[in-house]
Amino acid sequence: GAVVSQHPSRVICKSGTSVKIECRSLDFQATTMFWYRQFPKQSLMLMATSNEGSKATYEQGVEKDKFLINHASLTLSTLTVTSAHPEDSSFYICSAIPGQGFVKNIQYFGAGTRLSVL
Amino acid sequence: SQKIEQNSEALNIQEGKTATLTCNYTNYSPAYLQWYRQDPGRGPVFLLLIRENEKEKRKERLKVTFDTTLKQSLFHITASQPADSATYLCALALNNDMRFGAGTRLTVKP
């Protein structure tokens, strides 16, 4: 149980385009999902906490107009990188914390999305 | 400021030996600490959670200790195998979310 699906796994786009990444909880409901960014050989950096039905909470230094988060249902959160530039190239990972029926406080991660902006 | 440090960026050991990874933290008082495994190009996978009132936890060949006085957690893999080669991340709870260390890349050589 507790599977998180992230799509796409890889995307290459031109500078200036927008890219949408989906994060789905397949067998549980997630009121809270998290979006991370990871550079090579570095730690996961929390970008924002996505709350179902309300606005996302962004970490300091993360531009909310640049990284749009929508958590429209209990099983889906999306991250849209708007007007992407080469410096946005990175590995983006989502995670979710299940509710009842699962061990508390454990995050289940998607497989990640490798974004390359040309 | 709060810091999480995993002492080695990389650790190489021989198959069959015990791997010991360290996670130190400062300016935190976490209620619990977690260890995750991350393979290249993949998301982390949860391994173990240890609470502040627990000294040690085991799961098969894995053992985690948590010393809140030293502000340190040790992660051990006994009888290591090449398949254990991966990056291991420690994570601490901060308010309602988790903060991760940079990870230690473990390579187990046959």
Side-chain angles (χ1 to χ4, degrees):
Chain A
V3 177
V4 174
S5 172
Q6 189 172 338
H7 179 80
S9 58
R10 171 141 198 153
V11 59
I12 302 171
C13 69
K14 290 183 180 178
S15 188
T17 59
S18 292
V19 174
K20 181 187 278 190
I21 303 170
E22 290 188 350
C23 182
R24 292 180 186 274
S25 56
L26 296 187
D27 49 1
F28 64 95
Q29 293 184 334
T31 54
T32 303
M33 290 184 173
F34 302 93
W35 287 96
Y36 294 87
R37 183 173 180 175
Q38 188 176 35
F39 291 105
K41 296 186 180 180
Q42 292 190 27
S43 182
L44 296 164
M45 298 301 299
L46 181 66
M47 298 174 66
T49 303
S50 169
N51 301 297
E52 187 268 336
S54 64
K55 290 183 181 178
T57 305
Y58 289 82
E59 294 298 302
Q60 197 171 8
V62 177
E63 298 175 58
K64 60 181 181 182
D65 295 330
K66 172 79 173 172
F67 299 99
L68 298 178
I69 292 172
N70 187 337
H71 194 156
S73 77
L74 285 170
T75 59
L76 174 64
S77 176
T78 60
L79 168 68
T80 301
V81 183
T82 61
S83 186
H85 290 286
E87 59 265 28
D88 298 323
S89 299
S90 189
F91 191 53
Y92 293 86
I93 313 175
C94 71
S95 73
I97 296 181
Q100 218 168 5
F102 293 87
V103 178
K104 274 183 70 175
N105 307 123
I106 295 171
Q107 291 192 25
Y108 293 90
F109 286 84
T113 297
R114 172 75 57 195
L115 172 63
S116 300
V117 185
L118 305 176
Chain B
S1 64
Q2 292 151 330
K3 277 188 184 176
I4 304 171
E5 291 181 330
Q6 293 189 243
N7 65 330
S8 301
E9 184 179 320
L11 179 65
N12 298 318
I13 64 167
Q14 207 65 35
E15 182 176 9
K17 301 289 185 186
T18 296
T20 299
L21 286 64
T22 305
C23 177
N24 295 296
Y25 58 93
T26 54
N27 297 321
Y28 269 105
S29 294
Y32 58 90
L33 183 148
Q34 300 179 15
W35 283 88
Y36 288 78
R37 169 182 172 143
Q38 186 176 22
D39 290 287
R42 308 291 293 176
V45 174
F46 170 78
L47 295 175
L48 281 166
L49 180 154
I50 186 165
R51 302 190 188 282
E52 59 179 340
N53 60 348
E54 296 174 316
K55 293 271 192 252
E56 180 180 298
K57 202 153 213 187
R58 291 176 186 259
K59 179 183 174 184
E60 297 172 355
R61 292 185 296 112
L62 309 180
K63 183 178 88 171
V64 171
T65 62
F66 192 11
D67 188 326
T68 54
T69 302
L70 289 178
K71 294 188 181 296
Q72 181 181 80
S73 175
L74 298 178
F75 176 79
H76 306 272
I77 306 176
T78 57
S80 60
Q81 304 165 2
D84 295 326
S85 299
T87 295
Y88 292 86
L89 308 168
C90 69
L92 277 69
L94 176 64
N95 299 323
N96 293 320
D97 52 55
M98 302 294 294
R99 302 295 160 138
F100 288 81
T104 295
R105 189 172 66 255
L106 174 67
T107 302
V108 181
K109 297 182 179 177

